[in-house]
Coordinates of all heavy atoms in Angstrom, one line a residue:
L1 N -43.0 -32.4 4.8 CA -43.3 -31.0 5.1 C -43.5 -30.2 3.8 O -42.8 -30.4 2.9 CB -42.2 -30.2 5.9 CG -42.0 -30.8 7.3 CD1 -40.9 -29.9 8.0 CD2 -43.2 -30.6 8.2
G2 N -44.5 -29.3 3.8 CA -44.8 -28.5 2.7 C -43.9 -27.3 2.6 O -43.1 -27.2 3.4
A3 N -44.2 -26.5 1.6 CA -43.2 -25.3 1.3 C -43.3 -24.4 2.6 O -42.3 -23.7 2.7 CB -43.7 -24.6 0.0
D4 N -44.5 -24.3 3.3 CA -44.5 -23.4 4.3 C -44.2 -24.0 5.7 O -44.4 -23.3 6.7 CB -46.0 -22.8 4.4 CG -47.0 -24.0 4.7 OD1 -46.6 -25.1 4.7 OD2 -48.2 -23.6 4.7
G5 N -43.6 -25.2 5.7 CA -43.2 -25.9 6.9 C -44.2 -26.7 7.6 O -43.9 -27.3 8.6
Q6 N -45.5 -26.6 7.0 CA -46.6 -27.5 7.6 C -46.5 -28.8 6.9 O -46.2 -29.0 5.7 CB -47.9 -26.8 7.2 CG -48.1 -25.4 7.8 CD -48.4 -25.4 9.3 OE1 -49.0 -26.5 9.7 NE2 -48.1 -24.4 9.9
Q7 N -46.9 -29.8 7.7 CA -46.9 -31.2 7.2 C -48.2 -31.3 6.3 O -49.3 -30.9 6.8 CB -47.0 -32.2 8.4 CG -46.9 -33.5 7.9 CD -46.9 -34.6 9.1 OE1 -46.7 -34.2 10.2 NE2 -46.8 -35.8 8.8
A8 N -48.0 -31.9 5.2 CA -49.1 -32.1 4.3 C -50.0 -33.2 4.8 O -49.6 -34.1 5.4 CB -48.6 -32.4 2.9
L9 N -51.3 -33.0 4.6 CA -52.3 -34.1 5.0 C -52.3 -35.2 4.0 O -52.4 -34.9 2.7 CB -53.7 -33.4 5.1 CG -53.9 -32.4 6.2 CD1 -55.5 -31.9 6.1 CD2 -53.7 -33.0 7.6
D10 N -52.3 -36.4 4.4 CA -52.5 -37.5 3.5 C -53.9 -37.8 3.4 O -54.7 -37.3 4.1 CB -51.6 -38.7 3.8 CG -52.0 -39.3 5.2 OD1 -53.1 -39.0 5.7 OD2 -51.2 -40.1 5.8
D11 N -54.4 -38.7 2.6 CA -55.8 -39.1 2.4 C -56.4 -39.5 3.7 O -57.5 -39.3 4.0 CB -56.0 -40.1 1.3 CG -56.0 -39.6 -0.1 OD1 -56.1 -38.4 -0.2 OD2 -55.8 -40.3 -1.0
T12 N -55.6 -40.4 4.5 CA -56.3 -40.9 5.7 C -56.5 -39.7 6.7 O -57.6 -39.7 7.3 CB -55.2 -41.8 6.5 OG1 -54.8 -42.8 5.5 CG2 -55.7 -42.4 7.7
E13 N -55.6 -38.8 6.9 CA -55.9 -37.6 7.7 C -57.0 -36.8 7.2 O -57.9 -36.3 7.9 CB -54.6 -36.7 7.8 CG -53.5 -37.4 8.6 CD -52.2 -36.7 8.5 OE1 -51.8 -36.3 7.4 OE2 -51.6 -36.5 9.6
L14 N -57.0 -36.6 5.8 CA -58.1 -35.8 5.2 C -59.5 -36.5 5.5 O -60.4 -35.8 5.7 CB -57.9 -35.6 3.7 CG -58.8 -34.6 3.0 CD1 -58.7 -33.2 3.7 CD2 -58.3 -34.4 1.6
L15 N -59.5 -37.8 5.4 CA -60.8 -38.5 5.7 C -61.1 -38.3 7.1 O -62.4 -38.4 7.3 CB -60.5 -40.0 5.3 CG -60.7 -40.5 3.9 CD1 -60.3 -41.9 3.7 CD2 -62.0 -40.2 3.4
S16 N -60.3 -38.1 8.0 CA -60.6 -38.0 9.4 C -61.2 -36.6 9.7 O -61.8 -36.4 10.7 CB -59.4 -38.3 10.3 OG -58.4 -37.4 10.2
L17 N -61.0 -35.7 8.8 CA -61.5 -34.4 9.0 C -63.1 -34.5 8.7 O -63.6 -34.9 7.8 CB -61.1 -33.3 7.9 CG -59.6 -32.9 8.0 CD1 -59.2 -32.0 6.9 CD2 -59.4 -32.2 9.4
R18 N -63.8 -34.0 9.7 CA -65.3 -34.0 9.5 C -65.8 -32.7 9.4 O -66.2 -32.3 8.2 CB -65.9 -34.8 10.7 CG -65.6 -36.3 10.7 CD -66.3 -36.9 9.6 NE -65.9 -38.2 9.4 CZ -65.3 -38.8 8.3 NH1 -65.3 -38.1 7.2 NH2 -64.9 -40.0 8.4
T19 N -66.0 -31.9 10.5 CA -66.5 -30.7 10.3 C -65.7 -29.6 11.1 O -65.2 -29.9 12.2 CB -67.9 -30.6 10.9 OG1 -67.9 -31.0 12.3 CG2 -68.9 -31.5 10.1
V20 N -65.5 -28.5 10.4 CA -64.9 -27.4 11.1 C -65.8 -26.2 10.7 O -66.0 -25.8 9.6 CB -63.5 -27.0 10.4 CG1 -63.0 -25.8 11.0 CG2 -62.6 -28.2 10.6
S21 N -66.5 -25.7 11.8 CA -67.5 -24.6 11.6 C -68.6 -25.0 10.7 O -69.0 -24.2 9.9 CB -66.7 -23.3 11.1 OG -65.7 -22.8 12.0
G22 N -69.0 -26.2 10.8 CA -70.1 -26.7 9.9 C -69.8 -27.1 8.5 O -70.6 -27.5 7.8
C23 N -68.5 -27.1 8.2 CA -68.1 -27.4 6.9 C -67.3 -28.7 6.9 O -66.6 -28.9 7.8 CB -67.3 -26.3 6.2 SG -68.2 -24.8 6.0
R24 N -67.2 -29.4 5.8 CA -66.4 -30.5 5.7 C -65.4 -30.4 4.4 O -65.8 -29.9 3.3 CB -67.3 -31.8 5.5 CG -66.4 -33.1 5.3 CD -67.4 -34.2 5.2 NE -67.9 -34.4 3.8 CZ -67.3 -35.0 2.8 NH1 -66.1 -35.4 3.0 NH2 -67.7 -35.1 1.6
A25 N -64.2 -30.7 4.6 CA -63.2 -30.5 3.5 C -63.5 -31.7 2.6 O -63.8 -32.8 2.9 CB -61.8 -30.8 4.1
L26 N -63.5 -31.3 1.3 CA -63.7 -32.3 0.2 C -62.3 -32.6 -0.5 O -61.5 -31.8 -0.5 CB -64.5 -31.7 -0.9 CG -66.0 -31.4 -0.5 CD1 -66.7 -30.8 -1.7 CD2 -66.7 -32.6 -0.1
R27 N -62.2 -33.9 -0.8 CA -61.0 -34.2 -1.6 C -61.1 -33.9 -3.0 O -62.3 -33.6 -3.4 CB -60.7 -35.8 -1.4 CG -60.4 -36.1 0.1 CD -60.3 -37.6 0.2 NE -61.6 -38.1 0.2 CZ -61.9 -39.4 0.2 NH1 -61.0 -40.3 0.1 NH2 -63.1 -39.8 0.2
V28 N -60.0 -33.9 -3.7 CA -60.1 -33.5 -5.2 C -61.1 -34.3 -6.0 O -61.9 -33.7 -6.8 CB -58.7 -33.5 -5.8 CG1 -58.8 -33.3 -7.2 CG2 -57.7 -32.5 -5.1
H29 N -61.1 -35.5 -5.9 CA -62.0 -36.4 -6.7 C -63.4 -36.1 -6.3 O -64.3 -36.2 -7.1 CB -61.6 -38.0 -6.6 CG -62.1 -38.6 -5.3 ND1 -61.4 -38.6 -4.2 CD2 -63.3 -39.2 -5.1 CE1 -62.2 -39.3 -3.3 NE2 -63.3 -39.7 -3.8
E30 N -63.7 -35.7 -5.0 CA -65.1 -35.4 -4.6 C -65.6 -34.1 -5.3 O -66.7 -33.9 -5.7 CB -65.2 -35.3 -3.1 CG -65.1 -36.6 -2.3 CD -65.1 -36.4 -0.9 OE1 -64.4 -35.5 -0.3 OE2 -65.8 -37.1 -0.2
I31 N -64.6 -33.1 -5.4 CA -64.9 -31.8 -6.0 C -65.3 -32.1 -7.5 O -66.1 -31.6 -8.1 CB -63.8 -30.9 -5.8 CG1 -63.7 -30.5 -4.3 CG2 -64.0 -29.6 -6.7 CD1 -62.4 -29.7 -4.0
V32 N -64.4 -33.0 -8.2 CA -64.6 -33.3 -9.6 C -65.9 -33.9 -9.8 O -66.7 -33.6 -10.7 CB -63.4 -34.1 -10.2 CG1 -63.7 -34.6 -11.5 CG2 -62.1 -33.3 -10.1
E33 N -66.2 -34.8 -8.9 CA -67.6 -35.6 -9.1 C -68.7 -34.6 -9.0 O -69.8 -34.6 -9.6 CB -67.7 -36.7 -8.1 CG -66.8 -37.8 -8.3 CD -66.9 -38.8 -7.0 OE1 -67.6 -38.7 -6.1 OE2 -66.0 -39.9 -7.2
E34 N -68.7 -33.6 -7.9 CA -69.7 -32.7 -7.8 C -69.8 -31.8 -9.0 O -70.9 -31.4 -9.4 CB -69.5 -31.9 -6.4 CG -69.8 -32.7 -5.2 CD -71.2 -33.3 -5.2 OE1 -72.2 -32.5 -5.4 OE2 -71.3 -34.4 -4.8
K35 N -68.7 -31.3 -9.5 CA -68.7 -30.4 -10.6 C -69.3 -31.2 -11.8 O -70.1 -30.6 -12.6 CB -67.2 -30.1 -11.0 CG -67.1 -29.2 -12.2 CD -65.6 -29.2 -12.7 CE -65.3 -30.5 -13.2 NZ -64.6 -30.6 -14.5
D36 N -69.0 -32.5 -12.0 CA -69.5 -33.2 -13.1 C -71.0 -33.4 -13.0 O -71.7 -33.3 -14.0 CB -68.8 -34.5 -13.3 CG -67.4 -34.4 -13.8 OD1 -66.9 -33.4 -14.2 OD2 -66.6 -35.5 -13.6
K37 N -71.4 -33.6 -11.8 CA -72.9 -33.7 -11.6 C -73.7 -32.4 -12.0 O -74.7 -32.5 -12.5 CB -73.2 -34.1 -10.1 CG -72.9 -35.5 -9.7 CD -73.2 -35.6 -8.3 CE -72.6 -37.0 -7.7 NZ -72.9 -37.2 -6.3
L38 N -73.0 -31.3 -11.6 CA -73.6 -30.0 -11.9 C -73.7 -29.8 -13.4 O -74.8 -29.3 -14.0 CB -72.8 -28.9 -11.3 CG -73.1 -28.5 -9.9 CD1 -72.1 -27.4 -9.4 CD2 -74.5 -28.1 -9.6
I39 N -72.6 -30.1 -14.1 CA -72.6 -30.1 -15.6 C -73.6 -30.9 -16.2 O -74.4 -30.4 -17.1 CB -71.2 -30.4 -16.1 CG1 -70.2 -29.4 -15.6 CG2 -71.3 -30.5 -17.7 CD1 -68.8 -29.8 -15.9
V40 N -73.8 -32.1 -15.8 CA -74.8 -33.0 -16.4 C -76.3 -32.6 -16.1 O -77.1 -32.5 -17.0 CB -74.5 -34.5 -15.9 CG1 -75.7 -35.3 -16.3 CG2 -73.3 -35.0 -16.5
E41 N -76.4 -32.2 -14.8 CA -77.8 -31.6 -14.4 C -78.2 -30.3 -15.3 O -79.3 -30.3 -15.8 CB -77.8 -31.3 -13.0 CG -79.2 -31.0 -12.4 CD -79.3 -30.8 -10.9 OE1 -78.3 -31.3 -10.2 OE2 -80.3 -30.2 -10.5
A42 N -77.2 -29.5 -15.5 CA -77.5 -28.3 -16.3 C -77.8 -28.6 -17.8 O -78.7 -28.2 -18.4 CB -76.3 -27.3 -16.2
A43 N -76.9 -29.5 -18.3 CA -77.0 -29.9 -19.7 C -78.3 -30.6 -20.0 O -79.1 -30.3 -20.9 CB -75.9 -30.8 -20.2
V44 N -78.8 -31.5 -19.2 CA -79.9 -32.3 -19.3 C -81.2 -31.3 -19.0 O -82.1 -31.3 -19.9 CB -80.0 -33.5 -18.4 CG1 -81.4 -34.1 -18.4 CG2 -79.0 -34.4 -18.9
G45 N -81.2 -30.7 -17.9 CA -82.3 -29.7 -17.6 C -82.5 -28.6 -18.6 O -83.7 -28.3 -18.8
L46 N -81.5 -28.1 -19.2 CA -81.6 -27.0 -20.1 C -81.4 -27.4 -21.6 O -81.4 -26.5 -22.4 CB -80.7 -25.9 -19.7 CG -80.9 -25.3 -18.4 CD1 -79.7 -24.4 -18.0 CD2 -82.2 -24.7 -18.2
R47 N -81.2 -28.6 -21.7 CA -81.1 -29.2 -23.2 C -80.1 -28.5 -23.9 O -80.3 -28.0 -25.0 CB -82.5 -29.2 -23.8 CG -83.5 -30.1 -23.1 CD -84.7 -30.1 -23.8 NE -85.7 -30.9 -22.8 CZ -86.8 -31.3 -23.2 NH1 -87.3 -31.0 -24.4 NH2 -87.6 -32.0 -22.3
M48 N -78.9 -28.6 -23.4 CA -77.7 -28.0 -24.1 C -76.5 -28.9 -24.1 O -76.5 -29.8 -23.3 CB -77.3 -26.7 -23.3 CG -76.9 -26.8 -21.9 SD -76.4 -25.2 -21.2 CE -77.8 -24.2 -21.3
P49 N -75.6 -28.7 -24.9 CA -74.4 -29.5 -24.9 C -73.6 -29.4 -23.7 O -73.6 -28.4 -22.9 CB -73.6 -29.1 -26.1 CG -74.6 -28.3 -27.0 CD -75.5 -27.7 -26.0
L50 N -72.9 -30.5 -23.2 CA -72.2 -30.5 -22.0 C -71.1 -29.4 -22.0 O -70.9 -28.7 -21.0 CB -71.5 -31.9 -21.8 CG -72.4 -33.0 -21.5 CD1 -71.6 -34.3 -21.6 CD2 -73.1 -32.8 -20.2
H51 N -70.5 -29.2 -23.1 CA -69.5 -28.1 -23.1 C -70.0 -26.7 -22.9 O -69.4 -25.8 -22.3 CB -68.5 -28.2 -24.3 CG -69.3 -27.9 -25.6 ND1 -70.1 -28.9 -26.3 CD2 -69.3 -26.7 -26.3 CE1 -70.5 -28.2 -27.4 NE2 -70.1 -27.0 -27.5
V52 N -71.2 -26.4 -23.4 CA -71.9 -25.2 -23.1 C -72.3 -25.0 -21.7 O -72.1 -24.0 -21.1 CB -73.1 -25.0 -24.1 CG1 -73.9 -23.8 -23.7 CG2 -72.7 -25.0 -25.6
A53 N -72.8 -26.1 -21.1 CA -73.2 -26.0 -19.7 C -72.0 -25.8 -18.8 O -72.1 -25.0 -17.9 CB -73.8 -27.4 -19.3
T54 N -70.8 -26.4 -19.2 CA -69.6 -26.1 -18.5 C -69.2 -24.6 -18.5 O -68.9 -24.1 -17.5 CB -68.4 -27.0 -19.0 OG1 -68.8 -28.4 -19.0 CG2 -67.2 -26.8 -18.3
V55 N -69.2 -24.2 -19.7 CA -68.8 -22.6 -19.8 C -69.7 -21.8 -19.0 O -69.3 -20.9 -18.3 CB -68.7 -22.3 -21.3 CG1 -68.6 -20.7 -21.5 CG2 -67.6 -23.0 -22.0
L56 N -71.0 -22.0 -19.1 CA -72.0 -21.2 -18.5 C -71.9 -21.4 -17.0 O -72.0 -20.3 -16.2 CB -73.5 -21.4 -18.9 CG -73.7 -21.1 -20.5 CD1 -75.1 -21.6 -20.9 CD2 -73.4 -19.7 -20.7
L57 N -71.8 -22.5 -16.4 CA -71.6 -22.7 -15.0 C -70.3 -22.0 -14.5 O -70.3 -21.4 -13.5 CB -71.5 -24.2 -14.7 CG -72.8 -24.9 -14.6 CD1 -72.7 -26.4 -14.6 CD2 -73.7 -24.5 -13.4
R58 N -69.2 -22.0 -15.3 CA -68.0 -21.4 -14.9 C -68.3 -19.9 -14.8 O -67.8 -19.2 -13.9 CB -66.9 -21.7 -15.9 CG -66.2 -22.9 -15.6 CD -65.0 -23.1 -16.6 NE -64.6 -24.5 -16.5 CZ -63.9 -25.1 -17.6 NH1 -63.9 -24.5 -18.7 NH2 -63.5 -26.3 -17.5
Q59 N -69.0 -19.3 -15.8 CA -69.3 -18.0 -15.9 C -70.1 -17.5 -14.7 O -70.0 -16.3 -14.2 CB -70.2 -17.7 -17.2 CG -70.6 -16.2 -17.4 CD -69.5 -15.4 -17.8 OE1 -68.5 -15.8 -18.4 NE2 -69.6 -14.1 -17.6
L60 N -71.0 -18.4 -14.2 CA -71.8 -18.1 -13.0 C -71.3 -18.7 -11.7 O -72.1 -19.0 -10.8 CB -73.2 -18.6 -13.3 CG -73.9 -17.7 -14.5 CD1 -75.1 -18.4 -14.9 CD2 -74.1 -16.2 -14.1
S61 N -70.0 -18.9 -11.6 CA -69.4 -19.4 -10.4 C -70.0 -20.7 -9.9 O -70.2 -20.9 -8.8 CB -69.5 -18.3 -9.3 OG -68.7 -17.2 -9.8
W62 N -70.3 -21.5 -10.8 CA -70.7 -22.9 -10.6 C -72.1 -22.9 -9.8 O -72.4 -23.8 -9.0 CB -69.8 -23.8 -9.9 CG -68.6 -23.9 -10.8 CD1 -67.4 -23.2 -10.7 CD2 -68.4 -24.8 -11.8 NE1 -66.5 -23.6 -11.7 CE2 -67.1 -24.6 -12.4 CE3 -69.3 -25.8 -12.4 CZ2 -66.6 -25.3 -13.5 CZ3 -68.8 -26.6 -13.5 CH2 -67.5 -26.3 -14.1
N63 N -72.9 -21.9 -10.0 CA -74.2 -21.8 -9.3 C -75.3 -22.2 -10.3 O -75.8 -21.5 -11.2 CB -74.5 -20.3 -8.9 CG -75.7 -20.2 -8.1 OD1 -76.7 -20.8 -8.4 ND2 -75.5 -19.4 -7.0
L64 N -75.8 -23.4 -10.1 CA -76.8 -24.0 -11.0 C -78.0 -23.2 -11.0 O -78.7 -23.0 -12.0 CB -77.1 -25.5 -10.7 CG -78.0 -26.2 -11.5 CD1 -77.7 -26.2 -13.0 CD2 -78.2 -27.7 -11.0
Q65 N -78.5 -22.8 -9.9 CA -79.7 -22.0 -9.7 C -79.7 -20.7 -10.5 O -80.6 -20.4 -11.2 CB -80.1 -21.7 -8.3 CG -81.4 -21.0 -8.1 CD -81.8 -20.8 -6.7 OE1 -81.0 -21.1 -5.8 NE2 -83.0 -20.3 -6.4
S66 N -78.6 -20.1 -10.4 CA -78.3 -18.8 -11.2 C -78.4 -19.1 -12.7 O -78.9 -18.3 -13.5 CB -77.1 -18.1 -10.8 OG -77.1 -17.6 -9.5
L67 N -77.7 -20.1 -13.1 CA -77.7 -20.5 -14.5 C -79.1 -20.8 -15.0 O -79.5 -20.2 -16.0 CB -76.9 -21.7 -14.7 CG -77.0 -22.4 -16.2 CD1 -76.6 -21.4 -17.2 CD2 -76.1 -23.6 -16.2
M68 N -80.0 -21.5 -14.2 CA -81.3 -21.7 -14.7 C -82.2 -20.5 -14.8 O -82.9 -20.3 -15.7 CB -81.9 -22.8 -13.8 CG -81.2 -24.2 -14.0 SD -82.3 -25.5 -13.1 CE -81.4 -26.9 -13.8
L69 N -82.0 -19.7 -13.8 CA -82.8 -18.4 -13.8 C -82.3 -17.5 -14.9 O -83.3 -16.9 -15.6 CB -82.5 -17.6 -12.4 CG -83.2 -18.3 -11.2 CD1 -82.8 -17.6 -9.9 CD2 -84.8 -18.3 -11.4
E70 N -81.0 -17.4 -15.1 CA -80.6 -16.5 -16.2 C -81.0 -17.1 -17.6 O -81.2 -16.3 -18.4 CB -79.0 -16.3 -16.1 CG -78.6 -15.5 -14.9 CD -79.1 -14.0 -15.1 OE1 -79.0 -13.5 -16.3 OE2 -79.5 -13.4 -14.1
W71 N -80.9 -18.4 -17.7 CA -81.2 -19.0 -19.0 C -82.7 -18.8 -19.4 O -83.0 -18.4 -20.5 CB -80.9 -20.6 -18.9 CG -81.1 -21.2 -20.2 CD1 -82.2 -21.9 -20.6 CD2 -80.3 -21.1 -21.3 NE1 -82.0 -22.3 -21.9 CE2 -80.8 -22.0 -22.4 CE3 -79.0 -20.5 -21.5 CZ2 -80.1 -22.1 -23.6 CZ3 -78.4 -20.8 -22.7 CH2 -79.0 -21.5 -23.8
V72 N -83.6 -18.8 -18.4 CA -85.0 -18.6 -18.6 C -85.2 -17.1 -19.0 O -86.0 -16.8 -19.7 CB -85.8 -19.0 -17.3 CG1 -87.3 -18.5 -17.5 CG2 -85.8 -20.5 -17.2
R73 N -84.5 -16.2 -18.3 CA -84.6 -14.7 -18.4 C -84.2 -14.3 -19.7 O -84.8 -13.6 -20.4 CB -83.9 -14.0 -17.3 CG -84.2 -12.6 -17.1 CD -83.5 -11.9 -16.0 NE -82.1 -11.9 -16.1 CZ -81.4 -11.0 -16.8 NH1 -81.9 -10.2 -17.6 NH2 -80.0 -11.1 -16.8
D74 N -82.9 -14.7 -20.1 CA -82.3 -14.2 -21.2 C -81.2 -15.1 -21.7 O -80.0 -14.9 -21.5 CB -81.7 -12.8 -21.0 CG -81.1 -12.2 -22.3 OD1 -81.3 -12.6 -23.4 OD2 -80.4 -11.1 -22.1
P75 N -81.5 -16.2 -22.5 CA -80.5 -17.2 -22.9 C -79.5 -16.5 -23.9 O -78.2 -16.8 -23.7 CB -81.3 -18.3 -23.5 CG -82.6 -17.7 -23.8 CD -82.9 -16.6 -22.8
G76 N -80.0 -15.7 -24.8 CA -79.0 -15.1 -25.8 C -78.1 -14.2 -25.0 O -76.9 -14.3 -25.3
G77 N -78.5 -13.4 -24.1 CA -77.6 -12.6 -23.3 C -76.6 -13.2 -22.5 O -75.4 -12.9 -22.4
L78 N -77.1 -14.4 -21.9 CA -76.2 -15.3 -21.2 C -75.1 -15.9 -21.9 O -73.9 -15.9 -21.6 CB -77.0 -16.4 -20.5 CG -76.2 -17.3 -19.5 CD1 -75.5 -16.5 -18.4 CD2 -77.1 -18.3 -18.9
L79 N -75.5 -16.4 -23.2 CA -74.5 -16.9 -24.1 C -73.5 -15.8 -24.5 O -72.2 -16.0 -24.6 CB -75.1 -17.4 -25.3 CG -75.9 -18.8 -25.1 CD1 -76.7 -19.1 -26.4 CD2 -75.0 -19.9 -24.8
R80 N -73.9 -14.6 -24.9 CA -73.0 -13.5 -25.3 C -72.1 -13.1 -24.1 O -70.9 -12.9 -24.3 CB -73.8 -12.3 -25.7 CG -74.5 -12.5 -27.1 CD -75.1 -11.2 -27.7 NE -76.2 -10.8 -26.8 CZ -77.5 -11.3 -27.0 NH1 -77.7 -12.3 -27.8 NH2 -78.4 -10.9 -26.2
Q81 N -72.7 -13.1 -22.9 CA -71.8 -12.8 -21.7 C -70.7 -13.8 -21.5 O -69.6 -13.5 -21.1 CB -72.7 -12.8 -20.5 CG -72.0 -12.5 -19.2 CD -73.1 -12.6 -18.0 OE1 -74.1 -12.8 -18.1 NE2 -72.5 -12.5 -16.8
A82 N -70.9 -15.1 -21.9 CA -69.9 -16.1 -21.8 C -69.1 -16.3 -23.0 O -68.3 -17.1 -23.2 CB -70.6 -17.4 -21.5
S83 N -69.3 -15.4 -24.0 CA -68.5 -15.3 -25.3 C -68.9 -16.6 -26.1 O -68.0 -17.2 -26.8 CB -67.1 -15.2 -25.1 OG -66.8 -14.0 -24.5
L84 N -70.2 -17.1 -26.0 CA -70.6 -18.2 -26.9 C -71.5 -17.7 -27.9 O -72.3 -16.8 -27.7 CB -71.3 -19.3 -26.0 CG -70.5 -19.9 -24.9 CD1 -71.3 -20.7 -24.0 CD2 -69.4 -20.8 -25.7
P85 N -71.5 -18.3 -29.1 CA -72.4 -17.9 -30.2 C -73.9 -18.2 -29.8 O -74.2 -19.2 -29.2 CB -71.9 -18.7 -31.4 CG -71.2 -19.9 -30.8 CD -70.7 -19.4 -29.5
D86 N -74.8 -17.3 -30.4 CA -76.2 -17.5 -30.2 C -76.6 -18.7 -31.0 O -77.8 -19.2 -30.6 CB -77.0 -16.3 -30.8 CG -76.8 -15.1 -29.8 OD1 -76.3 -15.2 -28.7 OD2 -77.2 -13.9 -30.3
S87 N -75.8 -19.3 -31.8 CA -76.3 -20.4 -32.6 C -76.6 -21.6 -31.7 O -77.4 -22.5 -32.1 CB -75.2 -20.9 -33.6 OG -74.0 -21.2 -32.8
F88 N -76.2 -21.7 -30.5 CA -76.6 -22.7 -29.6 C -78.0 -22.8 -29.2 O -78.6 -23.7 -28.7 CB -75.7 -22.8 -28.3 CG -74.3 -23.2 -28.5 CD1 -73.3 -22.2 -28.3 CD2 -74.0 -24.5 -28.9 CE1 -71.9 -22.6 -28.5 CE2 -72.7 -24.9 -29.1 CZ -71.7 -24.0 -28.9
L89 N -78.7 -21.5 -29.4 CA -80.2 -21.5 -29.2 C -80.9 -22.2 -30.2 O -82.0 -22.7 -30.0 CB -80.6 -20.0 -29.1 CG -80.1 -19.2 -27.9 CD1 -80.4 -17.7 -28.0 CD2 -80.6 -19.8 -26.7
D90 N -80.3 -22.2 -31.5 CA -81.1 -22.7 -32.7 C -80.9 -24.2 -32.8 O -81.6 -24.9 -33.6 CB -80.6 -22.1 -33.9 CG -80.9 -20.6 -33.8 OD1 -81.8 -20.2 -33.1 OD2 -80.0 -19.8 -34.4
R91 N -79.9 -24.8 -32.1 CA -79.6 -26.3 -32.3 C -80.5 -27.1 -31.5 O -81.0 -26.9 -30.4 CB -78.2 -26.5 -31.8 CG -77.1 -26.0 -32.7 CD -75.8 -26.4 -32.1 NE -74.8 -25.9 -32.8 CZ -73.5 -26.0 -32.5 NH1 -73.1 -26.8 -31.6 NH2 -72.5 -25.4 -33.2
S92 N -80.8 -28.3 -32.1 CA -81.3 -29.4 -31.3 C -80.2 -30.1 -30.8 O -79.5 -30.8 -31.5 CB -82.2 -30.3 -32.3 OG -82.6 -31.4 -31.5
S93 N -79.9 -30.0 -29.4 CA -78.7 -30.6 -28.9 C -78.9 -31.9 -28.1 O -78.2 -32.3 -27.3 CB -78.1 -29.6 -27.9 OG -79.0 -29.2 -26.9
A94 N -80.0 -32.7 -28.5 CA -80.4 -33.9 -27.7 C -79.2 -34.8 -27.9 O -78.8 -35.6 -26.9 CB -81.6 -34.5 -28.2
E95 N -78.5 -34.8 -29.0 CA -77.4 -35.8 -29.2 C -76.2 -35.4 -28.3 O -75.4 -36.3 -27.8 CB -77.0 -36.0 -30.7 CG -76.3 -34.7 -31.2 CD -77.3 -33.7 -31.7 OE1 -78.5 -33.8 -31.6 OE2 -76.8 -32.7 -32.3
H96 N -76.1 -34.1 -28.0 CA -74.9 -33.7 -27.1 C -75.3 -33.9 -25.7 O -74.3 -34.2 -24.9 CB -74.7 -32.1 -27.4 CG -74.3 -31.9 -28.8 ND1 -73.1 -32.2 -29.3 CD2 -75.0 -31.1 -29.8 CE1 -73.0 -31.8 -30.6 NE2 -74.2 -31.2 -31.0
V97 N -76.5 -33.8 -25.3 CA -76.8 -33.9 -23.9 C -76.4 -35.3 -23.5 O -76.0 -35.5 -22.3 CB -78.3 -33.6 -23.7 CG1 -78.8 -34.0 -22.3 CG2 -78.6 -32.2 -24.0
L98 N -76.7 -36.3 -24.2 CA -76.5 -37.6 -23.8 C -75.1 -38.2 -23.9 O -74.8 -39.3 -23.5 CB -77.5 -38.6 -24.5 CG -79.0 -38.2 -24.2 CD1 -79.8 -39.2 -25.0 CD2 -79.2 -38.3 -22.6
D99 N -74.2 -37.4 -24.5 CA -72.8 -37.8 -24.7 C -72.0 -37.5 -23.4 O -71.4 -36.4 -23.3 CB -72.2 -37.0 -25.9 CG -70.8 -37.3 -26.1 OD1 -70.2 -38.4 -25.6 OD2 -70.0 -36.6 -26.9
L100 N -72.1 -38.4 -22.5 CA -71.5 -38.2 -21.2 C -69.9 -38.4 -21.3 O -69.2 -38.2 -20.2 CB -72.1 -39.1 -20.1 CG -73.7 -38.9 -20.0 CD1 -74.1 -39.9 -18.9 CD2 -73.9 -37.5 -19.6
S101 N -69.4 -38.8 -22.3 CA -68.0 -39.1 -22.4 C -67.2 -37.8 -22.2 O -66.0 -37.8 -21.8 CB -67.6 -39.8 -23.7 OG -67.9 -38.8 -24.8
A102 N -67.7 -36.7 -22.5 CA -67.1 -35.4 -22.4 C -67.0 -35.0 -20.9 O -66.2 -34.2 -20.6 CB -67.8 -34.3 -23.2
V103 N -67.7 -35.6 -20.1 CA -67.7 -35.2 -18.6 C -66.6 -36.0 -17.9 O -66.0 -35.5 -17.0 CB -69.1 -35.6 -18.0 CG1 -69.0 -35.3 -16.5 CG2 -70.1 -34.8 -18.6
A104 N -66.4 -37.2 -18.4 CA -65.4 -38.1 -17.7 C -64.0 -37.6 -17.8 O -63.4 -36.8 -18.0 CB -65.4 -39.5 -18.2

């Protein structure tokens, strides 16, 4: 039993959950995988280091479309909003984009 008196779901029970009001519960590792995919997609698509993509996605509530639109509209403003230096605009970050070890 959990702290609130409810029995905790084990992985088998969680797997058996399918849809509730059109939604499906995700397990922790599924959430991490989806987050990592978003980070890599943003980093590759916008040619930025993985850690910068991570910070910007967090800033925009993990909304990749918002990140792409804001990056095209005002990349410097987006970096400043996330408390990142403008120097990321001047870098050639191809070597950072392909370093997937930071995602794992």
